[in-house]
Amino acid sequence: MSNVNKKKLPVGIESFEKIRTQDFYYVDKTVMIRDLIQRWGEVNLFTRPRRFGKSLNMSMLKAFFEIGGNRALFDGLKISEEKEICEEYMGKFPVISISLKDVEGSDYDVARTLLCSVIGNEALRFYELLKSSPKLNEVERRQYEQLVCTDHEQRGSFAMSDSVLMGSLKTLSSLLEKHYEKKVILLIDEYDVPLSKANEQGYYNEMVFLMRNLLQQVLKTNSSLYFAVLTGCLRVAKESIFTGLNNFKIYSITDVRFDEYFGFTDSEVKEMLAYYGQEAKVQTVREWYDGYHFGTLDVYCPWDVISYCDD
């Protein structure tokens, strides 16, 4: 069957907004929002293999919760049936959303510069709001300037001192809470990449010290935080960077909670193959790609299934 007039396949696309506005096929994982709210955890860590939809889910969470978001993105999706949740939570929170997937320097200084860039650029997203917010005092405006200040001698890289960098996410969340008068949701995708790369390149101890201080300040002693979601491929030992976090929930591949939200379930694969006229290939796809077990579910790697349909 021809795929003409069918939705496009989202090969490698991690933007929820792009998928929903540019007519790509979307496997609906939005009920994760309801479960995240109902199974409340102040800090939630999801560990899954690469290419299992972690970044797309984080993009979806940002689109749902962030003030000023496009509510129409969720029209017709399962979460739209949860009227009370949508009324109370959709578009109601300031959201800090960063990905650390590119913080992978060959040495500590390079990695630190890349981390400053990620956080500095996220702080710049709020420049028009915070640079002259009447709700911030002069000291707080100077704190914000420290987050977005650049060093012209270093080709415009962000010029955060160690103390500013380690407190940057906490500072930004505090400023956003004061401006919006709403607590902040924090999303950190691929949190483990800086540590994994540091371990490979020989500067692990320095990076652990930096990440421990950065995350402890924003996650442990932060009255501006509503809740946080972190994703990664690895569960870094809690003792290394999450010391003292008692508000911490870890959802690994063995956990039955949220097991259906990362990767495609058997029914989702059948539905997708049927949509693209490949119903006869269900058993072939199952034999080739059904090699993962999360919680109580057998799941497929989305990348593999989408690529198969795209061939």
Side-chain angles (χ1 to χ4, degrees):
M1 180 183 293
S2 172
N3 285 339
V4 175
N5 298 324
K6 296 288 188 180
K7 290 183 179 294
K8 296 175 289 187
L9 284 158
V11 179
I13 297 177
E14 299 176 340
S15 167
F16 178 77
E17 181 179 13
K18 184 174 182 178
I19 286 176
R20 294 293 290 161
T21 58
Q22 297 187 24
D23 199 36
F24 286 96
Y25 189 94
Y26 177 62
V27 176
D28 191 347
K29 301 292 186 179
T30 57
V31 179
M32 179 185 177
I33 295 166
R34 180 200 66 194
D35 287 357
L36 197 60
I37 292 167
Q38 293 181 347
R39 297 171 177 172
W40 175 257
E42 190 170 22
V43 180
N44 307 272
L45 169 61
F46 295 94
T47 58
R48 294 294 189 277
R50 295 199 182 281
R51 295 180 171 176
F52 267 80
K54 299 186 299 295
S55 297
L56 178 56
N57 279 345
M58 294 290 261
S59 177
M60 178 263 292
L61 293 177
K62 177 176 179 285
F64 182 86
F65 287 109
E66 188 164 48
I67 292 170
N70 181 2
R71 299 174 68 93
L73 296 177
F74 294 89
D75 288 351
L77 298 180
K78 293 174 184 177
I79 193 61
S80 66
E81 300 170 9
E82 303 284 345
K83 303 300 184 184
E84 292 184 5
I85 286 177
C86 289
E87 181 64 28
E88 185 174 354
Y89 293 94
M90 186 186 285
K92 297 296 176 66
F93 295 88
V95 176
I96 298 171
S97 178
I98 61 173
S99 172
L100 303 186
K101 67 179 180 180
D102 294 324
V103 181
E104 49 177 32
S106 57
D107 59 46
Y108 175 74
D109 289 338
V110 172
R112 184 190 181 284
T113 298
L114 291 170
L115 182 60
C116 286
S117 178
V118 168
I119 296 174
N121 278 302
E122 178 64 2
L124 274 177
R125 244 190 357 114
F126 305 100
Y127 187 74
E128 294 302 322
L129 293 173
L130 297 181
K131 69 173 181 178
S132 56
S133 172
K135 297 180 182 178
L136 303 185
N137 60 39
E138 191 59 35
V139 171
E140 290 163 335
R141 290 195 191 96
R142 285 201 299 269
Q143 288 177 329
Y144 179 68
E145 287 296 327
Q146 289 181 316
L147 300 182
V148 298
C149 179
T150 57
D151 185 343
H152 296 296
E153 294 182 1
Q154 297 295 324
R155 298 182 180 179
S157 60
F158 290 91
M160 297 184 210
S161 66
D162 282 347
S163 61
V164 170
L165 176 57
M166 291 174 186
S168 57
L169 293 177
K170 181 179 181 181
T171 298
L172 183 57
S173 61
S174 175
L175 299 176
L176 288 171
E177 183 195 20
K178 189 161 186 183
H179 175 80
Y180 282 110
E181 299 180 353
K182 294 280 294 186
K183 292 192 182 297
V184 174
I185 291 173
L186 173 66
L187 307 175
I188 303 179
D189 194 26
E190 307 276 14
Y191 88 98
D192 54 329
V193 168
L195 296 169
S196 176
K197 296 301 179 181
N199 188 52
E200 293 175 9
Q201 299 294 335
Y203 56 92
Y204 183 78
N205 290 338
E206 295 161 284
M207 185 55 71
V208 163
F209 182 77
L210 174 58
M211 293 298 295
R212 181 192 299 129
N213 280 277
L214 176 71
L215 294 177
Q216 279 190 359
Q217 288 196 45
V218 72
L219 299 177
K220 181 182 178 182
T221 59
N222 186 7
S223 62
S224 298
L225 183 68
Y226 187 62
F227 72 77
V229 178
L230 292 79
T231 70
C233 294
L234 306 172
R235 176 180 170 179
V236 176
K238 188 174 180 180
E239 292 72 20
S240 65
I241 60 173
F242 299 122
T243 305
L245 283 181
N246 299 319
N247 56 349
F248 199 61
K249 288 188 175 182
I250 300 173
Y251 301 101
S252 70
I253 60 173
T254 62
D255 204 307
V256 298
R257 296 167 295 179
F258 298 93
D259 57 2
E260 70 269 39
Y261 300 128
F262 298 90
F264 292 167
T265 65
D266 194 63
S267 61
E268 289 168 343
V269 170
K270 288 179 180 177
E271 184 177 346
M272 187 174 188
L273 290 173
Y275 179 81
Y276 289 105
Q278 301 191 48
E279 300 95 326
K281 302 296 181 66
V282 169
Q283 189 57 37
T284 299
V285 172
R286 184 177 291 135
E287 291 172 358
W288 287 7
Y289 302 124
D290 180 20
Y292 298 87
H293 190 78
F294 295 169
T296 58
L297 286 179
D298 292 322
V299 296
Y300 301 73
C301 173
W303 174 272
D304 291 336
V305 177
I306 292 170
S307 296
Y308 182 88
C309 290
D310 195 42
D311 286 342

